[in-house]
């Protein structure tokens, strides 16, 4: 989460004062039922100055996103796809700030039906998203977009989703009204694109003044059957962890790498504590590409729209990363080329149109890591996957802690914590530790 203008530490430029960060308490993401889900519109009208769960020197959590958007059954029981979440506020010169990051998670078919099934039938499906707000109203923007995206994805998945027996798909929007087995990747892509467009329109219509110079990045990963689809705006990122070499944990098939019922008993290399010669290795597969202004195709697009891409001008020349500016009058300075909000830079080519990538899942695909740039600025994709894989390999065989879906300790929570902690260490080492961006990491296993 970041501020606006050259006087703020931000995606819009930064000058930080000397100082240092103290020690604090790690906060783990918790998930509430849909009764606590934020309502788009209401979250903007409230303006608390401090979050109810203030974490002191490590900063305040996003006060506008105090409950995760989570799908529940009619009886209120959380669906069973586990995940781990770690979110940490940033700050400058030892002073904590509000966490402008947000995240959400939808389970099993993205809807609230009480249907229980195996992963092969759709019970392993999920949607996960991470958002990173910037500007004065960054926390409000990320929270609004988070809520709107989640509600749109759930609504569209119901109108173009599985029938009650999970065998046929009813899609009333056009041809191919019935598909066998599961929604096609094209339908998921259309759902995400529509949801992003609707969220941007709703944000500008309801709160245009607030998001003129504030905005949010967003990355969303949707798993439906064998399809994994990622939509991205900005520099939050999604990475897939894939098993490489050796045998697949679980023996392959629908149980690999993590079986739906026994996945925690088969996490990674169960031999790490049994004297095995090797542990399972994982390779990172980037499922999104950061929208940096100096990315050649993005720079060309910005130029065609009438914007300018260059570093910030200072007393001693140019400094900092490439940024997007309005040509005339000279204004802006956004360090990403796509974002929700930031309406004053729309004329310079800043859009909320996502890039979408589809990946066909294989038995070797193990987990996905979604994170804000507070992680990726100091942790590479390869390193994040290595950290999560190490946590998986350390899990004791035979354990069945499946509390990742509803809070508490799990291998996925510990993995998310480990990635976030590594990012925090990187911020402490850079710039003398005087500045840290908001850090959010979400880890979700691929259940087969």
């Amino acid at each position: 989460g970041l501020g606006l203008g050259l006087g703020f530490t931000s995606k819009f430029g930064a000058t930080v004062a000397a100082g240092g960060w103290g020690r604090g308490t790690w906060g783990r993401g918790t998930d509430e039922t849909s009764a606590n889900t934020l309502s788009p519109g209401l979250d903007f009208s409230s303006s608390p100055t401090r979050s109810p769960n203030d974490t002191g020197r490590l900063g305040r959590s996003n006060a506008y996103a105090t409950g995760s958007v989570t799908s529940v059954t009619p009886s209120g029981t959380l669906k069973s796809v586990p995940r781990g979440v770690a979110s940490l506020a940033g700050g400058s010169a030892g002073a904590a700030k509000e966490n402008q990051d947000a995240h959400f998670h939808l389970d099993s078919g993205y809807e609230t039906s009480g249907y229980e099934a195996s992963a092969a039938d759709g019970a392993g499906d999920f949607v996960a998203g991470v958002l990173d707000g910037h500007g004065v109203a960054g926390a409000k923007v990320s929270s609004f977009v988070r809520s709107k995206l989640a509600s749109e994805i759930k609504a569209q998945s119901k109108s173009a989703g599985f029938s009650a027996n999970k065998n046929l798909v009813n899609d009333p929007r056009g041809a191919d009204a019935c598909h066998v087995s599961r929604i096609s990747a094209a339908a998921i892509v259309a759902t995400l694109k529509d949801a992003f467009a609707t969220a941007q329109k709703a944000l500008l219509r309801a709160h245009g003044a607030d998001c003129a110079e504030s905005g949010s990045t967003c990355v969303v990963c949707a798993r439906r059957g064998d399809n994994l689809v990622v939509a991205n705006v900005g520099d939050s990122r999604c990475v897939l962890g894939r098993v490489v070499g050796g045998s697949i944990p679980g023996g392959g098939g629908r149980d690999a790498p993590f079986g739906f019922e026994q996945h925690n008993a088969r996490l990674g290399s169960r031999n790490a504590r049994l004297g095995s010669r090797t542990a399972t290795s994982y390779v990172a597969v980037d499922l999104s590409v950061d929208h940096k202004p100096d990315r050649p195709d993005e720079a060309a697009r910005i130029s065609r729209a009438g914007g300018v891409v260059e570093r910030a001008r200072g007393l001693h020349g140019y400094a900092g990363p490439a940024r997007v500016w309005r040509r005339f009058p000279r204004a802006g300075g956004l360090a990403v080329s796509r974002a929700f909000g930031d309406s004053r830079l729309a004329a310079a080519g800043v859009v909320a149109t996502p890039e979408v990538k589809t990946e066909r899942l294989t038995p070797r695909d193990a987990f996905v890591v979604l994170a804000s740039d507070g992680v990726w600025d100091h942790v590479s994709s390869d390193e994040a996957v290595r950290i999560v894989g190490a946590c998986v390999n350390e899990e004791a065989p035979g354990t069945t802690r499946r509390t990742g879906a509803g809070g508490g300790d799990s291998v996925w929570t510990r993995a998310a914590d480990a990635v976030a902690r590594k990012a925090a260490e990187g911020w402490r080492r850079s710039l003398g530790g005087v500045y840290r961006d908001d850090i959010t990491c979400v880890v979700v296993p691929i259940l087969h």
Side-chain angles (χ1 to χ4, degrees):
L2 309 151
L4 173 64
L6 296 180
F8 291 81
T9 51
S10 71
K11 277 191 173 67
F12 290 86
T15 301
V16 295
W21 273 92
R23 297 174 62 86
T25 302
W26 276 90
R28 288 174 177 165
T30 57
D31 291 310
E32 305 295 332
T33 64
S34 57
N36 293 325
T37 296
L38 293 175
S39 171
L42 293 179
D43 52 358
F44 250 76
S45 61
S46 62
S47 56
T49 57
R50 296 181 69 83
S51 168
N53 50 347
D54 192 300
T55 55
R57 287 181 61 83
L58 282 181
R60 303 186 301 276
S61 62
N62 187 337
Y64 305 90
T66 54
S68 291
V69 181
T70 304
S71 178
V72 296
T73 64
S75 63
T77 303
L78 285 167
K79 293 289 188 177
S80 54
V81 178
R83 69 272 188 189
V85 178
S87 192
L88 182 63
S92 177
K97 72 176 193 64
E98 182 178 31
N99 190 345
Q100 294 181 306
D101 287 357
H103 62 88
F104 67 91
H105 185 281
L106 306 176
D107 271 323
S108 193
Y110 325 153
E111 49 188 301
T112 57
S113 70
Y115 182 82
E116 295 297 335
S118 68
D121 295 324
D125 296 347
F126 66 86
V127 180
V130 168
L131 303 92
D132 178 3
H134 54 260
V136 175
K140 296 180 180 180
V141 173
S142 64
S143 176
F144 180 91
V145 174
R146 159 189 178 266
S147 297
K148 192 65 177 175
L149 278 177
S151 63
E152 286 296 315
I153 291 171
K154 286 204 293 185
Q156 291 195 36
S157 70
K158 288 179 182 179
S159 64
F162 286 101
S163 61
N165 62 8
K166 296 287 180 175
N167 290 323
L168 297 179
V169 176
N170 177 29
D171 187 348
R173 293 177 294 179
D176 298 328
C178 289
H179 303 276
V180 176
S181 180
R182 52 181 60 87
I183 293 178
S184 68
I188 308 174
V189 170
T191 294
L192 293 182
K193 286 184 174 180
D194 289 348
F196 273 59
T198 299
Q200 172 74 344
K201 290 177 182 178
L203 177 65
L204 297 179
R205 181 173 58 250
H207 308 290
D210 294 282
C211 63
E213 295 181 337
S214 296
S216 178
T217 69
C218 178
V219 62
V220 174
C221 177
R223 188 264 177 98
R224 182 73 97 167
D226 292 333
N227 295 312
L228 200 63
V229 181
V230 174
N232 181 53
V233 164
D235 57 5
S236 294
R237 190 185 309 165
C238 179
V239 180
L240 173 68
R242 176 173 290 165
V243 175
V244 291
S247 61
I248 304 174
R254 66 182 290 172
D255 287 335
F258 306 125
F260 187 72
E261 296 298 333
Q262 296 86 20
H263 65 277
N264 279 319
R266 297 175 174 175
L267 288 174
S269 175
R270 64 173 67 192
N271 297 321
R273 298 185 182 181
L274 296 178
S276 175
R277 293 186 299 273
T278 61
T280 302
S281 297
Y282 301 87
V283 65
V285 179
D286 283 325
L287 298 181
S288 63
V289 182
D290 300 348
H291 290 129
K292 299 295 189 182
D294 55 355
R295 208 180 91 178
D297 56 339
E298 287 294 284
R301 185 182 61 79
I302 293 295
S303 180
R304 289 194 300 269
V308 175
V309 175
E310 68 178 23
R311 299 161 72 192
R313 298 175 182 176
L315 295 176
H316 304 287
Y318 294 96
R323 300 177 182 276
V324 179
W325 308 84
R326 290 180 58 173
R327 191 178 301 275
F328 183 82
R330 186 74 167 189
L334 185 63
V336 291
S337 55
R338 302 193 191 196
F340 284 98
D342 293 302
S343 57
R344 289 188 181 174
L345 286 175
V350 174
V351 298
T353 304
E355 280 190 310
V356 183
K357 179 174 181 179
T358 300
E359 186 79 12
R360 186 74 171 178
L361 291 173
T362 74
R364 291 184 176 273
D365 295 330
F367 53 81
V368 291
V369 181
L370 300 90
S372 61
D373 73 326
V375 169
W376 304 121
D377 281 352
H378 290 281
V379 179
S380 68
S381 298
D382 289 337
E383 190 171 19
V385 167
R386 180 187 60 77
I387 291 171
V388 174
C391 291
V392 169
N393 287 338
E394 290 172 0
E395 182 72 357
T399 58
T400 56
R401 286 177 289 182
R402 298 186 58 177
T403 56
D409 189 29
S410 73
V411 63
W412 310 111
T413 299
R414 288 185 279 111
D417 281 349
V419 173
R421 186 174 291 108
K422 183 67 174 180
E425 291 174 358
W427 285 104
R428 281 195 294 271
R429 290 193 301 268
S430 66
L431 299 175
V434 299
Y435 173 71
R436 181 177 68 216
D437 196 3
D438 299 331
I439 294 169
T440 295
C441 179
V442 174
V443 182
V444 188
I446 304 296
L447 304 181
H448 293 265

